[in-house]
Amino acid sequence: MSLGEQIREQRIKKGMSQEKLAEQIGVSRQAVAKWESGQSAPNTENLFKLAQICGISVDHLMSHQAQRTEISVAEELFHLHQMENDKRERVRREKFCRNGRYALLVLLGYGIIYISGRIPAARAGEYSVLGWLFSQEAAGKGGYLYGWLCNQGIIVFCGLISVLLSFFGRYRAGFVTLTGFGAGLVLGEILGKNPDGASLGFGHYGWAIWGGIFLLSAVMGMILERMSRKGVLQRSKEMAIWRCLFLFGIAAVILFVRGNF
């Protein structure tokens, strides 16, 4: 009798369905079905839970399989432990690769923003390739705010924050901060001009609009992370409220800056 057959026999003796047994262990019904069919085996923790629920020892639960295969219970437990470790390692590798992909996408997003801001300089045809990519003068062709963000190294700093957030599993926050950076740059460049002269920023307060929106995006990104970990769905009421608050916050930043600078 295999371990799966033994689990099925003990479950039937207890008069429990697969659903009921799964609920008591804390796994899905499909997991119990796979155990009983031999497609997979319970890990060490679940094996002890099974034995406790069935009112038998782990040795008894595995005794028939041990006799058939001539493998000791200790060896079988070690094998299950190894399977559990292999599964954890596989999950870690998959998570690493997934986070790496998200980090690359965020990096690509910042790269697009960086290149897009230098298109006006490329049209002028006055720079070499390296000059177009890195010179302060070429950055200034993309607008006051874009030039300031590039020449002060702020775009690199913010990009690093978003990429690291994504790489360490906070990819939602990474994408939200990327969105906030791009939206703040566009809105700050368009709405930051002050014909009467801004109190700070040499007649242009786009830096304040950009900064407020980027900080807002960082906060909203972490809120989104918490919501997602609680299982909030994309099309839920809570997500709709989050989007509305984000948009309202952006509008509030713009109104505050334009009214106080």
Side-chain angles (χ1 to χ4, degrees):
M1 181 182 293
S2 67
L3 175 60
E5 291 170 338
Q6 179 74 335
I7 293 172
R8 182 175 183 275
E9 180 180 289
Q10 294 298 329
R11 174 178 63 79
I12 293 173
K13 283 183 179 180
K14 287 292 184 180
M16 290 189 293
S17 63
Q18 288 183 341
E19 290 84 352
K20 185 64 177 178
L21 180 60
E23 181 182 345
Q24 292 195 23
I25 298 173
V27 297
S28 65
R29 186 199 65 78
Q30 289 79 4
V32 174
K34 287 182 178 180
W35 295 345
E36 293 185 357
S37 64
Q39 297 180 47
S40 64
N43 59 32
T44 307
E45 180 183 357
N46 290 334
L47 191 64
F48 278 95
K49 286 182 180 180
L50 274 167
Q52 183 179 14
I53 292 169
C54 294
I56 58 176
S57 65
V58 175
D59 288 0
H60 180 76
L61 185 62
M62 302 179 63
S63 61
H64 297 287
Q65 184 172 353
Q67 292 170 9
R68 180 177 66 83
T69 61
E70 298 182 355
I71 298 176
S72 68
V73 173
E75 289 174 325
E76 183 66 18
L77 284 172
F78 177 77
H79 174 66
L80 291 172
H81 180 67
Q82 286 295 104
M83 288 177 60
E84 186 178 350
N85 285 340
D86 291 343
K87 181 180 179 181
R88 281 199 294 263
E89 182 61 30
R90 185 171 64 255
V91 169
R92 278 195 294 267
R93 286 197 300 268
E94 291 173 353
K95 184 178 180 180
F96 178 83
C97 292
R98 182 197 65 191
N99 291 346
R101 289 193 296 269
Y102 285 134
L104 286 175
L105 286 174
V106 170
L107 182 62
L108 177 62
Y110 274 95
I112 291 172
I113 293 173
Y114 185 84
I115 295 298
S116 298
R118 291 178 179 264
I119 289 177
R123 290 174 178 169
E126 302 171 355
Y127 305 93
S128 64
V129 174
L130 290 178
W132 174 65
L133 285 174
F134 301 111
S135 75
Q136 294 186 6
E137 185 180 354
K141 298 286 185 179
Y144 172 82
L145 180 57
Y146 174 82
W148 177 71
L149 291 170
C150 288
N151 296 333
Q152 298 298 320
I154 297 174
I155 187 172
V156 175
F157 178 74
C158 293
L160 185 61
I161 291 176
S162 299
V163 168
L164 288 176
L165 282 171
S166 302
F167 187 76
F168 288 105
R170 303 293 190 270
Y171 61 89
R172 298 175 186 85
F175 280 109
V176 172
T177 51
L178 167 62
T179 302
F181 185 96
L185 174 58
V186 173
L187 294 172
E189 196 68 64
I190 295 173
L191 303 175
K193 296 178 181 179
N194 183 2
D196 297 326
S199 56
L200 295 173
F202 304 101
H204 199 294
Y205 46 43
W207 63 274
I209 293 176
W210 168 83
I213 292 176
F214 184 77
L215 290 175
L216 172 68
S217 69
V219 174
M220 296 302 292
M222 297 312 296
I223 292 174
L224 181 60
E225 286 289 342
R226 290 179 61 88
M227 290 171 60
S228 299
R229 278 165 171 70
K230 291 180 179 180
V232 177
L233 300 177
Q234 286 292 324
R235 297 185 178 180
S236 65
K237 180 180 178 181
E238 290 85 353
M239 283 299 301
I241 294 174
W242 179 87
R243 294 187 185 99
C244 290
L245 286 175
F246 197 5
L247 293 174
F248 176 79
I250 290 174
V253 167
I254 294 171
L255 292 174
F256 175 80
V257 172
R258 288 183 65 87
N260 292 274
F261 281 81

